Amino acid sequence: MSLSHPSPATTLASTLPRTPSGGTPVARPLPCAPLAVLGRDVQVPLASGEKVGYAALDYAASSPALQRVWDDVAAYAPYYGSVHRGAGYLSQLSTDLFEQSRRTVAEFLDLREGDQVVFTRATTDSLNLLAGAVPAGTRVFAFETEHHASLLPWAHAGLEVRYLAAPRSRAEAVAALDAALAEAPEGPKLLCVTGASNVTGELWPVAALTETAHRHGARVVLDAAQLAPHHRVSVRESGVDWIAFSGHKLYAPFGAGVLAGRSDWLDAAEPYLAGGGATRTVARETDGSVAVQWHTGPARHEAGSPNVIGAYAIASACRALTEAGFEALEAREQRLIDRLTAGLAEIPQVKVLNLFGPGSARVGVLSFVVQDWNSSHFSAALSAEYGIGVRDGLFCAHPLVRTLLGDDTPAADSACGAPDASLPGERSLNAIRVSFGAGTPDEHVERFLTAVRELVTDGAAWNYRNEGGRCVADSRREG
C-alpha cells in the first residue's frame, strides 16, 4: 500500500513517544543475563503472611511479556486504528504496521518464497484452521504424544487419523512414521508433529520426520508452540510445509497466534470464517441469493477486525529474540537445564518423565512426580510456602502423561486430590511441570531446587485442603 505519510516502520521507530521505561534496545543483552520481562519484581504472599518475589516457572503455559514487547505496544496504542480500507492516517498507519508485522514474522520463521503468514488466536486456532483447509480424503498421522491442540483437530474436522504409539527414541519415531506411511493408500497425507514436547521438553527429530514424510508424498505441519520461544526455527531448513505457534508462549501475551507456510491448500479451502475482510465482492443475485468472491492469501482466513496489537506484539517479540541472539539464549537456557536436571537427580524421591531417555536434548520444560506426594499437593506447597509457580495435571496431553506415568508410578492420596481427568476405574494421575525461558533468573531455579529438597526431606509446613478444586494452605502443621 502506498502512503502519502511516512511509513509506520519509520514512524514507530523514530517519532512515536516511548513509555518511561523505554522500549528501543540500546545494546544486545549479555549472554548470561535474562531478558527483561514484566512481573520480575512482583511480590506474592506466602501462607505465613510474608511476601516474596514471585518465581514464575510456568513458561510452557504462558510466558511473561518481554518488557520490550510491552513498551512497543504501549507506544503504538495511542495510534491504534482500524486496518484495511480506512482513509485516515491512524488507519493507514495501523494497516502498514499490521502488514509489516506479517513480514517480520515471515523473516523470523525463514519462510520460503510464496509462503504466507495467517494471524490467528493461538496454536489451537491455527491447527483447527489448517484442519478445515485440508483436502477431503486426506489421511492425517500424529503420534499419541501430541498436545491436544495438535492431536484433536483432525478427527474433529472429519478426517481419517492414524495415531502412532509413543516412541521411546527419536530413531523409533522416524521408523514408525516410515512404516505407517508405507502402508497408507494413495492420496493426500499430512503429518502433524511437535517440535518440543510440552510435557517433557524433549526435542523431536523434525528434519528427519519431514524428510521421511516427503519421501512418501506426505506434507508436514509443525506445532512449534514450545519450540519457537527457545530455539531458532527455519521453515526453509527444516522443510516443513506449515508451522503454528502462539504469541502468549513467545513473550507476547496479547491473544494472537500464527499459521505460516504453503499457500495452495489454504487458498483452495473455504474461508475459516465467513465475514468482512475475507470477501473480495458480495452481490445479490436475481434469484435472491448472495454471490461471494473470496480473497486468496492471508485475508481469506482473517475475516473480521484482526487483533492488530496481538500481531504487533508477536512481531516485537520476534525482533527482540532475534536481536538478543538465539545462540546466546540457548546457551544460557541449557545451563539452567543442566543445573535443574542435575539438582533433581540428587533427590532419589523425584522421578523425571522422559520419552527418549534422561540425557535427551530438551528445551526448558520438565515434568516429574515425587514419591509419596500427590502432585497437586506438592505444587500448592511450592506456591504457598516458597512463592514458586509451576503447573500440575496432565498438561492437555493426557495420552502422553498416562504413558509416561505407566503402572509403576504409585499414586499418592491427598486431601487436595488431582485434576478430574482420570478414566472410569483409573487411579488418579497427575504430574508436576516446571518450565522457564529467556526471562528466568538463576535464583528462581535455585529456589525451586531448594524447595523440592526441603519438601521431600521435611514435608510441608502447612496443612492443605481442597477448596473449589484448588489445593490451598489451611493451617500450620504442629511440631
Side-chain angles (χ1 to χ4, degrees):
M1 180 180 69
S2 175
L3 294 178
S4 57
H5 310 289
S7 75
T10 300
T11 303
L12 287 173
S14 59
T15 64
L16 285 190
R18 311 302 297 185
T19 53
S21 60
T24 303
V26 296
R28 175 172 293 186
L30 295 173
C32 292
L35 299 185
V37 295
L38 296 184
R40 60 192 180 275
D41 300 321
V42 166
Q43 298 286 303
V44 296
L46 303 181
S48 64
E50 301 171 89
K51 288 192 174 182
V52 66
Y54 184 60
L57 294 177
D58 193 17
Y59 275 48
S62 284
S63 62
L66 286 173
Q67 184 69 55
R68 157 77 175 274
V69 171
W70 187 262
D71 290 343
D72 283 351
V73 167
Y76 163 63
Y79 296 82
Y80 170 80
S82 63
V83 302
H84 303 144
R85 298 170 301 284
Y89 177 67
L90 296 192
S91 177
Q92 294 186 56
L93 185 149
S94 294
T95 298
D96 203 6
L97 186 77
F98 185 62
E99 295 304 330
Q100 178 59 50
S101 297
R102 199 188 306 276
R103 291 189 288 272
T104 297
V105 172
E107 293 171 2
F108 179 77
L109 297 174
D110 190 25
L111 296 185
R112 299 160 296 238
E113 186 71 27
D115 285 349
Q116 61 179 247
V117 172
V118 179
F119 285 116
T120 65
R121 291 179 295 174
T123 306
T124 302
D125 197 37
S126 296
L127 294 173
N128 275 271
L129 189 164
L130 183 61
V134 169
T138 297
R139 289 176 173 81
V140 180
F141 297 80
F143 289 92
E144 67 173 357
T145 49
E146 292 293 313
H147 185 283
H148 295 170
S150 49
L151 188 74
L152 302 180
W154 321 105
H156 187 69
L159 299 166
E160 180 182 332
V161 186
R162 169 81 180 274
Y163 296 109
L164 306 178
R168 287 300 184 166
S169 70
R170 291 179 177 83
E172 185 180 326
V174 176
L177 177 66
D178 193 21
L181 289 173
E183 297 170 356
E186 290 296 321
K189 295 177 282 291
L190 176 69
L191 167 68
C192 180
V193 66
T194 188
S197 170
N198 78 302
V199 176
T200 68
E202 291 169 305
L203 295 169
W204 278 64
V206 174
L209 289 168
T210 300
E211 188 279 328
T212 300
H214 286 173
R215 181 159 40 81
H216 289 281
R219 296 191 180 192
V220 178
V221 56
L222 174 66
D223 175 356
Q226 301 296 340
L227 182 64
H230 302 273
H231 283 266
R232 175 181 173 270
V233 177
S234 170
V235 169
R236 190 187 309 271
E237 292 176 9
S238 67
V240 298
D241 299 277
W242 294 278
I243 185 171
F245 70 89
S246 299
H248 72 95
K249 298 183 191 297
L250 193 82
Y251 311 99
F254 294 92
V258 167
L259 174 67
R262 300 196 181 280
S263 304
D264 53 352
W265 283 8
L266 296 175
D267 283 345
E270 288 296 308
Y272 184 46
L273 299 173
T279 59
R280 189 184 301 277
T281 62
V282 180
R284 288 289 302 275
E285 299 280 51
T286 55
D287 63 0
S289 63
V290 175
V292 182
Q293 290 185 355
W294 303 101
H295 278 300
T296 56
R300 186 179 188 87
H301 299 291
E302 293 179 346
S305 296
N307 182 356
V308 181
I309 285 181
Y312 181 46
I314 289 178
S316 174
C318 289
R319 287 192 297 271
L321 293 173
T322 300
E323 291 169 6
F326 269 106
E327 183 177 350
L329 294 175
E330 290 172 22
R332 180 177 184 279
E333 183 173 306
Q334 187 59 53
R335 181 170 59 78
L336 293 179
I337 292 170
D338 293 344
R339 176 68 186 111
L340 176 66
T341 54
L344 291 179
E346 295 171 354
I347 308 172
Q349 296 88 343
V350 171
K351 175 186 176 182
V352 174
L353 305 182
N354 298 292
L355 263 180
F356 304 147
S360 55
R362 59 160 41 96
V363 298
V365 179
L366 181 148
S367 296
F368 64 99
V369 291
V370 182
Q371 181 181 325
D372 299 328
W373 277 86
N374 172 276
S375 294
S376 296
H377 189 182
F378 198 90
S379 299
L382 287 173
S383 176
E385 300 182 27
Y386 297 91
I388 298 170
V390 297
R391 180 152 298 219
D392 65 276
L394 300 179
F395 318 122
C396 291
H398 295 186
L400 171 57
V401 179
R402 287 194 177 96
T403 295
L404 293 173
L405 292 179
D407 296 328
D408 60 346
T409 302
D413 293 330
S414 169
C416 290
D420 185 19
S422 300
L423 297 171
E426 181 184 60
R427 63 195 175 88
S428 180
L429 294 173
N430 64 333
I432 305 157
R433 184 180 69 192
V434 55
S435 54
F436 48 87
T440 304
D442 292 33
E443 186 274 328
H444 289 182
V445 173
E446 293 300 333
R447 194 198 316 177
F448 170 78
L449 289 172
T450 298
V452 173
R453 284 192 295 267
E454 291 181 356
L455 288 172
V456 167
T457 302
D458 305 324
W462 288 72
N463 296 310
Y464 291 79
R465 71 177 190 278
N466 191 305
E467 184 179 282
R470 290 196 312 122
C471 191
V472 297
D474 185 29
S475 59
R476 187 182 289 274
R477 290 174 54 196
E478 296 181 4

